[in-house]
Amino acid sequence: MKFLSAAASRLMARGVLSDGWYSVLTGLVLLYLAYVLGRIPWDVDRAAPFVSVAFAATGLWQLTRGLRAEFQRRPQSTGEPS
């Protein structure tokens, strides 16, 4: 896991990976972890469903935050100098 974090940090430092896409990737990983934890039976681990819900909520928040940062509405240029 440290390798992935270090790789993302290097890409962000070089300007290849923006803050918005970093949030999108983080959100997707959290949603995947929520899916994996949600499949654990109740009798094996009783905390897993609650952690899964927390990961899902945080993952959705990160995903929407990143998408908003990347695809925010910008004013359209009219081509005329202002």
Side-chain angles (χ1 to χ4, degrees), residues 8-68:
S9 294
R10 280 194 301 273
L11 289 173
M12 286 183 69
R14 292 183 187 163
V16 176
L17 185 64
S18 67
D19 291 337
W21 284 114
Y22 185 79
S23 290
V24 168
L25 292 175
T26 303
L28 290 174
V29 168
L30 286 171
L31 288 174
Y32 175 73
L33 288 174
Y35 170 75
V36 170
L37 284 175
R39 296 183 51 103
I40 296 175
W42 177 261
D43 56 343
V44 173
D45 187 0
R46 292 186 180 210
F50 300 111
V51 175
S52 175
V53 169
F55 277 179
T58 306
L60 286 173
W61 173 70
Q62 282 283 72
L63 187 62
T64 56
R65 179 178 171 224
L67 290 174
R68 281 187 195 145

